[in-house]
């Protein structure tokens, strides 16, 4: 987000439009590889964890980073970042899902 802010300042100085986006991050097992017909293969990634990442992106507002529970529970991630827990209804996923907004980096002690 900080890099995006800097890039937008450069763009605005040149009279170009800002680019704002939300970021969704998930981790987990996926299926990856060439898929499709022999004459038309596409290298792609599929699976629930890919879909969850896409849904997190769709609920993230501009300049917001949203992570899944599997990312937030990683001890290395917890040691580096602060989070705000939220509940969200994600398309294609039954019931509410716990998600986490990244509030910022923790200060080194």
């Amino acid at each position: 987000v900080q890099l995006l802010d800097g890039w937008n300042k450069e763009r605005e100085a040149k009279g170009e439009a800002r680019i704002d986006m939300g970021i969704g991050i998930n981790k987990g097992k996926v299926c990856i590889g060439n898929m499709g017909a022999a004459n038309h293969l596409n290298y792609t990634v599929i699976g629930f964890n890919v879909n969850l990442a896409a849904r997190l992106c769709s609920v993230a507002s501009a300049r917001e980073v949203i992570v899944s529970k599997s990312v937030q529970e990683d001890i290395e991630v917890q040691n580096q970042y602060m989070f705000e827990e939220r509940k969200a209804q994600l398309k294609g996923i039954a019931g509410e899902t716990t998600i986490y907004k990244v509030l910022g980096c923790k200060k080194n002690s």
Side-chain angles (χ1 to χ4, degrees):
V1 172
Q2 291 170 338
L3 291 172
L4 182 60
D5 288 342
W7 189 47
N8 275 325
K9 287 179 185 173
E10 292 174 17
R11 291 180 58 81
E12 289 172 336
K14 294 188 265 184
E16 297 173 344
R18 291 181 56 84
I19 296 178
D20 285 312
M21 65 185 81
I23 299 167
I25 303 172
N26 184 36
K27 72 176 189 172
K29 291 184 179 183
V30 299
C31 184
I32 186 169
N34 289 311
M35 297 180 197
N39 64 345
H40 189 75
L41 290 175
N42 288 312
Y43 191 75
T44 191
V45 181
I46 61 172
F48 174 80
N49 286 307
V50 176
N51 293 340
L52 179 54
R55 301 302 180 242
L56 295 174
C57 288
S58 70
V59 298
S61 300
R63 303 183 68 253
E64 186 174 61
V65 178
I66 301 291
V67 301
S68 66
K69 187 170 186 145
S70 63
V71 173
Q72 189 275 338
E73 287 179 334
D74 185 297
I75 193 68
E76 291 182 33
V77 172
Q78 286 182 3
N79 289 338
Q80 294 181 45
Y81 300 97
M82 298 174 291
F83 301 93
E84 175 184 278
E85 183 177 311
R86 296 181 176 179
K87 300 286 184 186
Q89 181 62 53
L90 303 177
K91 182 179 174 182
I93 299 175
E96 283 190 324
T97 302
T98 301
I99 62 174
Y100 298 86
K101 176 183 175 182
V102 178
L103 299 175
C105 295
K106 290 183 177 179
K107 303 292 183 204
N108 291 335
S109 302

